[in-house]
Amino acid sequence: MLSIHLASAEDYPAVCAFYRDLIDACAADPCFPPWKMGIHPTEPMLKDAISAQTLYVGRANGAICAAMIVNGDVPDGYTDGVWISDLDENEYLVLHLLAVARDCRRKGLAGLMVRAALEAARQAGKRSLRLDAWDGNAPAHALYRSLGFSDAGMMHETYDDGSSLGFYLFEYPLGEENV
């Protein structure tokens, strides 16, 4: 059974190890985002999210098998979105860095994590949950659509090394009909 909760300061080393190990293990997976530990995500990013109480972990048998950040940090490219809801940035939360350990996949854990993110947004009184998913991650796109998220266009992110990646944007309005 998966237990989802906010990460604590004591979880910090395990959270860093979770992302580092997952990124290393999935380097050859064509659907895995091109994350690089130290660039995205960074250890300070993870530590700050834990301190801000916005980093959630999913544990099974005591081990972290999933993690995500749910906060109000809006990526620059979100202005390119064709959002369903015309909202100010303080009216929605953003789901970042959702990840499930390779040996825990295909068990519904990502869906449980996303539902927890939706509940966190509801509890915070937000009107929507938004996210982006790397354009090469078809399984994630299918998951978000199956959970009721709507497509909101694309954004492109250009990095310091000059490389550029595309991301699909998704939104889930939290109106009364979706509660």
Side-chain angles (χ1 to χ4, degrees), residues 4 10 13-14 23 26 29 33 44 47-48 50 56 72 96-97 120 142:
I4 300 170
E10 292 77 29
I23 290 166
C26 294
D29 182 342
K47 188 173 193 174
D48 290 348
I50 291 171
Y56 294 79
H96 304 276
L97 290 172

Side-chain angles (χ1 to χ4, degrees), residues 31-33 35 67-70 78 84 94-100 109-118 129-153 167-173:
C31 293
F32 192 78
W35 293 345
M68 66 183 173
I69 296 173
V70 183
Y78 274 37
I84 296 165
V94 180
L95 171 59
H96 304 276
L97 290 172
L98 174 61
V100 176
L109 302 184
L112 292 173
M113 294 293 287
V114 173
R115 286 183 186 91
L118 290 165
L129 180 68
R130 295 178 178 178
L131 60 88
D132 58 86
W134 175 59
D135 63 2
N137 193 346
H141 308 158
L143 169 70
Y144 301 135
R145 290 178 183 119
S146 76
L147 292 172
F149 281 78
S150 296
D151 291 276
F167 297 87
Y168 285 100
L169 302 171
F170 294 92
E171 180 175 26
Y172 191 102

